[in-house]
Amino acid sequence: MSWYYAEGNQKVGPIEKTEFYELVKSKKINSKTRVWRPGMSNWEELGRVAGRRADKTPQARQAIGSADQAQCSECGQAFAIDDMIRFEDAWVCATCKPVFVQKIKEGLQVSGELNYAGFWIRFGAIIIDILVLSAVNMIFQIPLSIVMASTGNNTAQFVIIQLISTLFQLIIPAVYATWFLGKYGATPGKMACKIKVVRSDGESIGYGRAFGRYFAKGLSWLILGIGFLMAAFDDQRRTLHDRICDTRVVRK
Ligand SMILES: [Zn+2]
């Protein structure tokens, strides 16, 4: 049986059923598209045509026969429209319904709750933080190296200054990460990239978790950066340290 459909003020058709369902699948035709086919008294929205069909008595359905089939948007097989559910523009068969519903739920969760920041934007934020930290470190190291130069061959002084230098290099990044993440949820690098660290429920992480996350991040470095790479393959863009600390990095 041939179909006609309205596109703006144009009437398109006749087209065959298979072509019609292709157009439904590609969303060129949706439930709001006005359609007509021989046997219908008036043009009507497809959603109403399909909706009314489900209200028919079994006898009436029998009379129509199984002529009205739709292609399942999941498995691609044709089924009688009466045996299918419709979600917006897609028809789904009874078998595929659970999978389809699950997909919709997951889709809503991703777009509706947290907008996870991707691997590259986070990589960019890290680069900025490294530059900032290098600059800060320099401020501490320059006076130290001046003192160092003036110590001459005094080994004890040399060792002490080396220790202080190393200590700064350890403490500064820890304080930097803990204070910025604890207070603002973002280091300067993350602020510049408009991303922030939150807990899995979207709440702010606080100083304690920020401090712990700094060390967990060290672990991600220690395993050759693989802990960071994990974000590229995770559906919630979690690095190893995000997994350990139950944190997520999201776009603001
Ligand atoms: Zn199916």
Side-chain angles (χ1 to χ4, degrees), residues 134-149 165:
S134 305
V136 173
N137 191 46
M138 204 102 82
I139 294 167
F140 287 94
Q141 298 301 332
I142 289 170
L144 281 176
S145 47
I146 292 168
V147 175
M148 181 97 82
S165 168

Side-chain angles (χ1 to χ4, degrees), residues 8-44:
N9 292 325
Q10 296 281 324
K11 287 171 184 174
V12 188
I15 57 168
E16 282 310 307
K17 205 166 59 185
T18 45
E19 193 188 340
F20 185 79
Y21 291 135
E22 277 305 313
L23 291 172
V24 171
K25 229 178 123 185
S26 67
K27 301 194 171 172
K28 187 134 193 273
I29 297 177
N30 59 45
S31 57
K32 293 275 174 239
T33 308
R34 294 171 69 76
V35 299
W36 182 84
R37 66 183 165 162
M40 281 171 64
S41 49
N42 286 306
W43 284 72
E44 268 188 290

Side-chain angles (χ1 to χ4, degrees), residues 72 75 79 93 96:
C72 172
C75 63
F79 294 89
C93 77
C96 297

Side-chain angles (χ1 to χ4, degrees), residues 1-195:
M1 196 180 289
S2 304
W3 282 91
Y4 296 78
Y5 69 94
E7 195 179 62
N9 292 325
Q10 296 281 324
K11 287 171 184 174
V12 188
I15 57 168
E16 282 310 307
K17 205 166 59 185
T18 45
E19 193 188 340
F20 185 79
Y21 291 135
E22 277 305 313
L23 291 172
V24 171
K25 229 178 123 185
S26 67
K27 301 194 171 172
K28 187 134 193 273
I29 297 177
N30 59 45
S31 57
K32 293 275 174 239
T33 308
R34 294 171 69 76
V35 299
W36 182 84
R37 66 183 165 162
M40 281 171 64
S41 49
N42 286 306
W43 284 72
E44 268 188 290
E45 288 179 358
L46 178 62
R48 300 192 55 168
V49 177
R52 198 181 51 228
R53 186 157 308 286
D55 296 333
K56 298 237 182 205
T57 60
Q59 288 80 4
R61 270 187 229 170
Q62 206 78 50
I64 299 159
S66 59
D68 292 295
Q69 293 190 325
Q71 206 170 9
C72 172
S73 67
E74 289 299 300
C75 63
Q77 294 195 52
F79 294 89
I81 285 175
D82 291 350
D83 299 327
M84 303 175 87
I85 60 150
R86 219 183 51 228
F87 180 81
E88 290 176 359
D89 308 333
W91 269 300
V92 181
C93 77
T95 318
C96 297
K97 189 182 156 189
V99 178
F100 186 73
V101 170
Q102 186 62 30
K103 263 193 199 175
I104 291 168
K105 275 187 192 157
E106 283 169 5
L108 290 177
Q109 208 162 28
V110 169
S111 60
E113 287 182 3
L114 297 174
N115 185 7
Y116 302 112
F119 176 78
W120 289 108
I121 187 87
R122 295 182 61 171
F123 185 75
I126 288 171
I127 298 294
I128 294 170
D129 282 330
I130 287 172
L131 290 175
V132 173
L133 279 168
S134 305
V136 173
N137 191 46
M138 204 102 82
I139 294 167
F140 287 94
Q141 298 301 332
I142 289 170
L144 281 176
S145 47
I146 292 168
V147 175
M148 181 97 82
S150 66
T151 56
N153 290 327
N154 189 324
T155 315
Q157 274 186 10
F158 181 84
V159 169
I160 289 166
I161 290 165
Q162 276 295 326
L163 274 175
I164 293 170
S165 168
T166 309
L167 218 60
F168 273 131
Q169 288 180 43
L170 290 174
I171 291 171
I172 292 168
V175 171
Y176 180 87
T178 307
W179 190 74
F180 278 112
L181 290 184
K183 192 169 171 69
Y184 303 107
T187 55
K190 286 188 166 68
M191 288 178 196
C193 295
K194 293 189 161 46
I195 59 178

